[in-house]
Amino acid sequence: DSSYVRVVVTAGGETQSYGGTPRGYWMVEGTTLRHTQNGAVFNVTIASTTNVTLVSIAGQNGVAEFDFTPTIYDADGTVYALVSVGTAFNSNKETTAVTLPETVTKIGNSAFYAAANLVKVRMSDRVTEIGESAFNDCKKLADISPCLPSGLVKIGNYAFNGCTALPKLTIGPNLATLSEYAFYGCTGLGEIVFPDAPVTVGNRVFQACSAISNIVPRLFPRGMSIGKGANSSFDGCVSLTGDAVFEIDGPLYLNQGTLSRAKISSLDFSRCTDVVFGGDNSLGSMTAVTNIVFPVGFTNFSNRLCIPMGGPTRIQFLGAPPTMGATAPMSTTGKYLITVPNAGTLGEAWRQYLADNPDWMRPMTSAERTALRTQFPGVKGVKGMVNLGGICGWHGISYHCGIG
């Protein structure tokens, strides 16, 4: 900060003051780092002669706010650089604020784990790595800047898990993967800003983030994908509403519980090369969905309850109708209108599947045809109806699917 006045008082150190109040400096003494004014002491490790890593607090001396931006010296006047934070604040109950210098590039594993009263953290955009559980369970952490650093390349599992006061997240262009549980249970998180670059969302990354209501630049950003095998990535994001568009240069993986319970009304997959269902109930609990568009390259429903249970839901296949897996994708409690480029081909695509179980389909009655048109206003040319209750394994339940 240019407003600080630095006055050299010895060959080995300096006094720094702001508004007439001296704030001291840091001294390396063996394997400890001591603040010359407030008396706080940290155990440290020193690598490459002058690179310092904070390991643990040796004596907090009642200090609640730590500023590591003043220069670090030893008794001979050698200047050191703080480059990383180890487990220094793990389970700390007294610290409320920490300011790190631009020399810090790594926040290590469990660095601030369960720091119960930590509210404010300042770091620079030069931080490239935030380790596993680095801020896990910091429930009062509401003011962290930047969040996240633009230079961040790696974020560990559980990095911000349970940070319930964290309000906003900006993902930088260099962070290609969000590791599992990274923001799990951040119930105060309302906005996520994605970069104009590909990002893969891992296992349970945003699960139970119930306040997320705004994803920038859109729901969902171009290039955002779900990791293959990553379950429940956005499960429980009940404040997510509106129309969602997925656009990636490759297949979109929808795994178990990927968007479960989100209140999204429309899912447009048409800009993906394919959609691959990797687990049951990937969309099943999305009761607000009324429209789904599948891309030309979509070929296979492979899991149970891939399609939402709500309804009535219009399902559009832009290419040939898909094949089914061992269990059907739709719910016995939903009503669906399925449209394909040539409606007649849908019955042909599923003919053998249904032929193996003749009690699972029957002709559509006049009343059902009328009801279907009521549920889907403006639809013309309904071709037939199949009993999805049987397909889902619930014999005798007569919920139906219009083919139009």
Side-chain angles (χ1 to χ4, degrees), residues 232-238 255-263 281-286:
S232 302
S233 300
F234 290 90
D235 179 18
C237 294
V238 296
N255 308 302
Q256 182 173 338
T258 293
L259 287 164
S260 182
R261 297 180 286 168
K263 304 300 182 183
N281 200 32
S282 50
L283 307 176
S285 299
M286 297 181 68

Short mmCIF file of all heavy atoms in Angstrom, two decimals, residues 232-238 255-263 281-286:
data_model
loop_
_atom_site.label_atom_id
_atom_site.label_comp_id
_atom_site.label_asym_id
_atom_site.label_seq_id
_atom_site.Cartn_x
_atom_site.Cartn_y
_atom_site.Cartn_z
N SER A 232 -24.30 -35.86 -8.81
CA SER A 232 -24.93 -34.82 -7.98
C SER A 232 -24.23 -33.47 -8.05
O SER A 232 -24.17 -32.74 -7.06
CB SER A 232 -25.02 -35.29 -6.52
OG SER A 232 -25.74 -36.50 -6.43
N SER A 233 -23.68 -33.12 -9.20
CA SER A 233 -22.89 -31.88 -9.31
C SER A 233 -23.68 -30.64 -8.91
O SER A 233 -23.14 -29.72 -8.30
CB SER A 233 -22.38 -31.72 -10.75
OG SER A 233 -21.56 -32.81 -11.11
N PHE A 234 -24.97 -30.59 -9.29
CA PHE A 234 -25.83 -29.46 -8.93
C PHE A 234 -27.06 -29.93 -8.15
O PHE A 234 -28.07 -29.23 -8.10
CB PHE A 234 -26.27 -28.71 -10.19
CG PHE A 234 -25.17 -27.93 -10.87
CD1 PHE A 234 -24.40 -28.52 -11.85
CD2 PHE A 234 -24.92 -26.61 -10.51
CE1 PHE A 234 -23.38 -27.81 -12.49
CE2 PHE A 234 -23.90 -25.89 -11.13
CZ PHE A 234 -23.13 -26.49 -12.12
N ASP A 235 -26.97 -31.07 -7.53
CA ASP A 235 -28.10 -31.62 -6.78
C ASP A 235 -28.47 -30.68 -5.63
O ASP A 235 -27.61 -30.23 -4.88
CB ASP A 235 -27.72 -32.99 -6.23
CG ASP A 235 -28.83 -33.63 -5.40
OD1 ASP A 235 -29.99 -33.20 -5.53
OD2 ASP A 235 -28.53 -34.56 -4.64
N GLY A 236 -29.74 -30.39 -5.50
CA GLY A 236 -30.20 -29.54 -4.40
C GLY A 236 -30.06 -28.06 -4.62
O GLY A 236 -30.28 -27.27 -3.71
N CYS A 237 -29.71 -27.66 -5.86
CA CYS A 237 -29.65 -26.22 -6.18
C CYS A 237 -31.06 -25.75 -6.50
O CYS A 237 -31.42 -25.48 -7.65
CB CYS A 237 -28.70 -25.98 -7.34
SG CYS A 237 -26.98 -26.35 -6.97
N VAL A 238 -31.88 -25.65 -5.47
CA VAL A 238 -33.31 -25.45 -5.64
C VAL A 238 -33.67 -24.03 -6.09
O VAL A 238 -34.81 -23.77 -6.47
CB VAL A 238 -34.07 -25.78 -4.34
CG1 VAL A 238 -33.92 -27.26 -4.00
CG2 VAL A 238 -33.56 -24.92 -3.17
N ASN A 255 -25.02 -37.64 -14.87
CA ASN A 255 -24.83 -38.79 -13.99
C ASN A 255 -25.89 -38.79 -12.89
O ASN A 255 -26.81 -37.99 -12.90
CB ASN A 255 -23.42 -38.73 -13.40
CG ASN A 255 -22.38 -38.56 -14.48
OD1 ASN A 255 -22.28 -39.38 -15.39
ND2 ASN A 255 -21.61 -37.48 -14.42
N GLN A 256 -25.75 -39.68 -11.97
CA GLN A 256 -26.75 -39.81 -10.92
C GLN A 256 -26.95 -38.49 -10.18
O GLN A 256 -26.03 -37.92 -9.62
CB GLN A 256 -26.35 -40.90 -9.92
CG GLN A 256 -27.38 -41.13 -8.82
CD GLN A 256 -27.02 -42.32 -7.96
OE1 GLN A 256 -26.28 -43.21 -8.39
NE2 GLN A 256 -27.51 -42.36 -6.73
N GLY A 257 -28.19 -37.99 -10.20
CA GLY A 257 -28.53 -36.78 -9.45
C GLY A 257 -27.90 -35.50 -9.94
O GLY A 257 -27.86 -34.52 -9.20
N THR A 258 -27.44 -35.44 -11.20
CA THR A 258 -26.70 -34.27 -11.68
C THR A 258 -27.44 -32.96 -11.39
O THR A 258 -26.87 -32.01 -10.87
CB THR A 258 -26.43 -34.38 -13.19
OG1 THR A 258 -25.52 -35.45 -13.42
CG2 THR A 258 -25.81 -33.09 -13.72
N LEU A 259 -28.71 -32.89 -11.76
CA LEU A 259 -29.49 -31.66 -11.57
C LEU A 259 -30.71 -31.92 -10.70
O LEU A 259 -31.68 -31.16 -10.74
CB LEU A 259 -29.93 -31.11 -12.93
CG LEU A 259 -28.83 -30.47 -13.77
CD1 LEU A 259 -29.29 -30.31 -15.21
CD2 LEU A 259 -28.43 -29.11 -13.20
N SER A 260 -30.65 -32.94 -9.90
CA SER A 260 -31.79 -33.31 -9.08
C SER A 260 -32.26 -32.16 -8.20
O SER A 260 -31.46 -31.47 -7.56
CB SER A 260 -31.42 -34.51 -8.19
OG SER A 260 -32.50 -34.93 -7.43
N ARG A 261 -33.56 -31.91 -8.24
CA ARG A 261 -34.26 -30.90 -7.42
C ARG A 261 -34.09 -29.46 -7.89
O ARG A 261 -34.66 -28.55 -7.30
CB ARG A 261 -33.88 -31.03 -5.94
CG ARG A 261 -34.27 -32.36 -5.31
CD ARG A 261 -33.89 -32.43 -3.87
NE ARG A 261 -32.44 -32.61 -3.71
CZ ARG A 261 -31.80 -32.48 -2.56
NH1 ARG A 261 -32.46 -32.12 -1.47
NH2 ARG A 261 -30.49 -32.69 -2.49
N ALA A 262 -33.28 -29.23 -8.92
CA ALA A 262 -33.21 -27.87 -9.48
C ALA A 262 -34.55 -27.53 -10.12
O ALA A 262 -35.25 -28.39 -10.64
CB ALA A 262 -32.10 -27.78 -10.52
N LYS A 263 -34.92 -26.26 -10.08
CA LYS A 263 -36.24 -25.81 -10.56
C LYS A 263 -36.19 -25.28 -11.99
O LYS A 263 -36.98 -24.43 -12.37
CB LYS A 263 -36.80 -24.74 -9.62
CG LYS A 263 -36.90 -25.16 -8.16
CD LYS A 263 -37.81 -26.37 -7.97
CE LYS A 263 -37.93 -26.74 -6.50
NZ LYS A 263 -38.74 -27.95 -6.31
N ASN A 281 -31.69 -41.43 -12.12
CA ASN A 281 -32.26 -40.23 -11.53
C ASN A 281 -31.43 -38.98 -11.78
O ASN A 281 -31.36 -38.08 -10.96
CB ASN A 281 -32.47 -40.41 -10.02
CG ASN A 281 -33.49 -39.42 -9.46
OD1 ASN A 281 -34.42 -39.03 -10.14
ND2 ASN A 281 -33.27 -39.02 -8.23
N SER A 282 -30.78 -38.90 -12.92
CA SER A 282 -29.96 -37.73 -13.21
C SER A 282 -30.81 -36.47 -13.32
O SER A 282 -30.39 -35.38 -12.95
CB SER A 282 -29.15 -37.94 -14.49
OG SER A 282 -29.98 -38.38 -15.53
N LEU A 283 -32.03 -36.61 -13.83
CA LEU A 283 -32.94 -35.48 -13.96
C LEU A 283 -34.27 -35.76 -13.27
O LEU A 283 -35.18 -34.93 -13.30
CB LEU A 283 -33.20 -35.16 -15.44
CG LEU A 283 -31.99 -34.94 -16.35
CD1 LEU A 283 -32.45 -34.74 -17.79
CD2 LEU A 283 -31.18 -33.74 -15.89
N GLY A 284 -34.40 -36.91 -12.66
CA GLY A 284 -35.69 -37.40 -12.22
C GLY A 284 -36.46 -36.52 -11.26
O GLY A 284 -37.69 -36.52 -11.25
N SER A 285 -35.78 -35.78 -10.40
CA SER A 285 -36.47 -34.96 -9.40
C SER A 285 -36.63 -33.50 -9.81
O SER A 285 -36.92 -32.65 -8.99
CB SER A 285 -35.72 -35.03 -8.06
OG SER A 285 -35.68 -36.36 -7.59
N MET A 286 -36.45 -33.24 -11.10
CA MET A 286 -36.61 -31.87 -11.61
C MET A 286 -38.08 -31.66 -11.99
O MET A 286 -38.47 -31.74 -13.14
CB MET A 286 -35.69 -31.63 -12.80
CG MET A 286 -34.22 -31.73 -12.48
SD MET A 286 -33.19 -31.42 -13.94
CE MET A 286 -33.51 -29.67 -14.23
#
